Amino acid sequence: MADVTRLTEVIEPEVAALGFDLVRVKLSGSGEERTLQVMAEDPGTGQLVVEQCMTLSRCISDRIDHLEELGEELIHGAYNLEVSSPGIDRPLTRAKDFANWAGHDVNLSLNEPVGDHRKLRGELLGIEGDTVAVEDKKAGRLEVALANIHSAKLVLTDKLIAATRPLDTSGVDEIEETLEEEKAED
């Protein structure tokens, strides 16, 4: 199994060199069906456009290839590299995400239960220090240590849609066609 911490150490400087913030590095799947997912955002917009994803993907791929040529195997075997913007119902992975998205609905999955609750859904109230506050729809106001949050994701609502209009979707169709054409040529 690949070391996600080491992958993050390799990927984060590539993201930063382009002026972006790293949101998440995740390796999923097994065998030949593995995917290395990298989510990043432009700090000015909270998103990446297609061209930015393509540029970042090339930089990450080149860096991983270079390290593997030097003898470091970061991921055993074949994998797919997926570089994306976090999307509208984005994961919350950093303390600043919990501050920036306060006031929106969130789903939290906890490592250890708080009271009788291992999953929370409700309004994200924010973060103070290392403690996240949520107004859970069933349990009311709960405070959770950031370290106890296994995963957190925004819930798609009209309010969230209004807060996150896409910047630019031009070029998406051409890129999909290019990828399909490359597969056909192989």
Side-chain angles (χ1 to χ4, degrees):
M1 185 70 174
D3 181 358
V4 174
T5 302
R6 177 64 182 135
L7 284 166
T8 301
E9 290 171 356
V10 169
I11 293 168
E12 194 158 27
E14 300 302 318
V15 173
L18 293 173
F20 306 142
D21 289 340
L22 183 62
V23 174
R24 177 171 76 184
V25 174
K26 180 179 178 181
L27 186 64
S28 60
S30 61
E32 296 297 316
E33 297 296 320
R34 282 180 295 183
T35 299
L36 175 59
Q37 179 192 64
V38 177
M39 284 187 185
E41 65 184 0
D42 182 321
T45 64
Q47 302 176 39
L48 292 182
V49 295
V50 174
E51 291 81 13
Q52 291 170 314
C53 289
M54 290 172 42
T55 300
L56 181 55
S57 179
R58 285 187 201 107
C59 291
I60 292 169
S61 183
D62 289 348
R63 181 69 178 140
I64 290 173
D65 289 349
H66 175 73
L67 290 172
E68 289 183 347
E69 288 171 6
L70 295 175
E72 182 177 3
E73 185 175 50
L74 294 168
I75 303 171
H76 180 72
Y79 64 93
N80 295 308
L81 174 59
E82 176 184 288
V83 175
S84 68
S85 185
I88 192 167
D89 54 348
R90 63 181 297 133
L92 306 178
T93 60
R94 306 161 295 177
K96 72 179 187 176
D97 294 335
F98 291 92
N100 292 343
W101 295 100
H104 292 279
D105 286 354
V106 66
N107 282 332
L108 298 179
S109 176
L110 307 178
N111 295 314
E112 297 293 327
V114 172
D116 294 335
H117 307 283
R118 190 176 278 275
K119 293 190 183 274
L120 305 176
R121 181 178 176 141
E123 182 182 351
L124 174 62
L125 301 175
I127 185 169
E128 189 170 317
D130 289 331
T131 303
V132 175
V134 176
E135 184 68 36
D136 184 73
K137 292 183 181 202
K138 294 179 183 174
R141 182 186 169 99
L142 293 173
E143 294 186 350
V144 180
L146 184 59
N148 190 25
I149 298 174
H150 174 71
S151 64
K153 189 173 182 179
L154 291 175
V155 176
L156 187 61
T157 63
D158 289 340
K159 182 179 178 181
L160 182 61
I161 291 169
T164 56
R165 298 280 180 213
L167 293 174
D168 180 14
T169 58
S170 64
V172 172
D173 293 336
E174 291 82 16
I175 291 169
E176 287 177 6
E177 289 174 14
T178 301
L179 293 174
E180 290 170 6
E181 289 171 6
E182 287 177 11
K183 288 180 185 176
E185 292 174 3
D186 289 343

